[in-house]
Amino acid sequence: MRKPIIAGNWKMNKMNSEAVQFIKELKPLLPEDDSVEKVICPPFTALAPVIEECRGTDIKVGAQNVHWEESGAFTGEVSPQMLKDMGVTYCIIGHSERRAMFGDTDETVNKKAKALLAAGLIPIICVGESLEQKEAGNTFKVCESQVQKALEGIEPRDAGNIVIAYEPIWAIGTGKTASSEDAQEVIAHIRKTLARVLNEEVAGKIRIQYGGSVKPENIASFMEKEDIDGALVGGASLKSQSFSEIIKY
Ligand code: 13P
């Protein structure tokens, strides 16, 4: 059984005081049981206060990016070991915004994935097609290639707790979602790819999220699908009320 994982990607939002206030509000809104894994990914600047405010809860904290080296002359970068040292558990890599605006490539995503695993952190690897690629009928091919390249050289025994997020680019921040049927189909194909690249057993363990305009109103339709194990939520993760409703789908 794969434990559902709902993660909030705050992107470049929230001052530290707002971040702490969010966690304070979220805590009493969460379900008593821990049947859903909850992750908050604040900007780097808010990691420390969010980690502090989440102490004693089962909310995990993730970063939104990382460099692959351990230390050195890499101005402006943060290493996996630094994140680990702070108490970070997860790290989003390969988000389409980073691929489009900050030069992330399949190769750097692969380096980041390896570095995170070596440091004992869990990568949330984002993949997904653009509108143009979707209209050309290339969704499966694009996702397959991104997954395969992200995992190059990673041993199956190290890959079981990796998380993949399928985020069709045209659905991010647009209010348009993939239909749950289409998302299931792509995600099932991603799982097949994982089985080929790693093996069947590990592919059965890896959690695959859907992301792109997830809201309290549509989360249940995704979560009822066989291969969809959670969501990576942007806009709707910025308010404690809507994020808690998504967690309680
Ligand atoms: P939205 O939920 O705002 O569409 O963003 C999705 C996303 O990019 C999460 O990483």
Side-chain angles (χ1 to χ4, degrees):
M1 260 306 272
R2 298 183 294 266
K3 185 171 176 169
I5 175 168
I6 304 287
N9 173 11
W10 283 357
K11 308 189 178 183
M12 196 172 75
N13 290 290
K14 290 195 192 294
M15 300 297 158
N16 284 358
S17 58
E18 296 168 320
V20 169
Q21 182 60 28
F22 175 100
I23 304 296
K24 282 191 200 293
E25 286 169 18
L26 181 68
K27 286 193 266 194
L29 299 175
L30 291 177
E32 297 274 308
D33 64 87
D34 69 341
S35 55
V36 172
E37 193 166 355
K38 306 160 265 290
V39 184
I40 299 284
C41 303
F44 285 126
T45 45
L47 282 171
V50 167
I51 288 166
E52 186 55 37
E53 194 57 42
C54 290
R55 223 175 276 287
T57 75
D58 64 356
I59 307 167
K60 312 246 174 63
V61 180
Q64 299 173 16
N65 183 34
V66 72
H67 188 60
W68 55 86
E69 294 287 349
E70 194 168 332
S71 63
F74 303 101
T75 301
E77 295 294 323
V78 169
S79 76
Q81 289 72 17
M82 291 168 180
L83 296 176
K84 178 81 181 168
D85 183 55
M86 298 183 75
V88 166
T89 308
Y90 286 91
C91 184
I92 298 170
I93 53 174
H95 193 282
S96 58
E97 288 152 15
R98 296 212 55 88
R99 292 182 194 250
M101 293 184 273
F102 305 105
D104 283 19
T105 63
D106 287 332
E107 288 66 36
T108 61
V109 171
N110 176 245
K111 285 185 184 179
K112 291 175 186 193
K114 286 181 183 158
L116 287 168
L117 291 172
L121 291 166
I122 305 172
I124 300 178
I125 303 171
C126 300
V127 301
E129 83 286 5
S130 66
L131 186 58
E132 204 183 356
Q133 291 165 329
K134 175 186 158 69
E135 286 172 349
N138 288 332
T139 299
F140 278 20
K141 208 168 84 186
V142 169
C143 294
E144 190 176 324
S145 155
Q146 287 177 338
V147 166
Q148 182 164 344
K149 288 179 179 156
L151 296 180
E152 215 162 272
I154 294 176
E155 295 296 328
R157 64 165 185 276
D158 298 327
N161 65 0
I162 284 176
V163 177
I164 309 278
Y166 167 57
E167 300 203 306
I169 298 170
W170 48 270
I172 295 177
T174 57
K176 289 190 201 137
T177 62
S179 71
S180 56
E181 289 73 24
D182 286 353
Q184 160 62 26
E185 231 189 284
V186 180
I187 288 177
H189 185 75
I190 291 174
R191 200 175 300 287
K192 245 197 249 167
T193 305
L194 293 172
R196 181 170 54 73
V197 174
L198 300 162
N199 62 48
E200 196 84 39
E201 191 198 337
V202 173
K205 284 190 195 152
I206 291 180
R207 291 173 299 173
I208 310 178
Q209 301 173 308
Y210 168 77
S213 298
V214 170
K215 305 254 164 352
E217 301 76 48
N218 58 29
I219 180 71
S221 69
F222 292 106
M223 296 307 289
E224 70 188 22
K225 297 293 179 203
E226 186 185 342
D227 285 289
I228 304 183
D229 306 314
L232 184 55
V233 187
S237 75
L238 292 171
K239 294 242 154 60
S240 52
Q241 188 62 40
S242 53
F243 191 58
S244 70
E245 284 169 24
I246 291 171
I247 291 166
K248 291 188 281 195
Y249 65 88

